[in-house]
Amino acid sequence: MTIQPVSTSEYTTANREWLASLHGTDSTDTITLDLPLFTEGVHYVCGDGCDPYGRVLSGVPVGRVAESGLYGPYDPEAHCGRQILRGS
């Protein structure tokens, strides 16, 4: 009987289909999100027992809330600053 070690790997890549090009992806700014403004399943997914980390989905357009300086989902009908598209 011969015993052979077996290893497996799993890779996850970001879905960047929404990008027109990769231009500028090497020099990005960080922002802080106002998570209560986002909708689970639409803007982000929560982790589970196997993957405890949630994530905001790629390409979610955001606007800056004027009062707090935090970012929420872009909404053209908003009156708090999120009606101005700041990025995605």
Side-chain angles (χ1 to χ4, degrees):
M1 178 166 121
T2 305
I3 298 176
Q4 296 291 327
V6 176
S7 65
T8 61
S9 297
E10 184 177 327
Y11 296 95
T12 304
T13 58
N15 180 356
R16 294 193 174 121
E17 293 176 357
W18 55 273
L19 282 175
S21 74
L22 292 178
H23 177 74
T25 58
D26 59 339
S27 59
T28 58
D29 294 327
T30 60
I31 61 172
T32 303
L33 302 177
D34 189 350
L35 288 180
L37 295 175
F38 291 84
T39 305
E40 181 180 354
V42 175
H43 302 115
Y44 70 93
V45 293
C46 286
D48 57 23
C50 296
D51 182 13
Y53 301 104
R55 62 191 54 82
V56 175
L57 302 173
S58 295
V60 173
V62 295
R64 185 172 180 265
V65 179
E67 188 174 314
S68 67
L70 302 176
Y71 288 77
Y74 167 75
D75 180 359
E77 303 298 320
H79 299 287
C80 61
R82 292 186 299 128
Q83 70 275 15
I84 301 170
L85 179 64
R86 298 293 182 121
S88 59

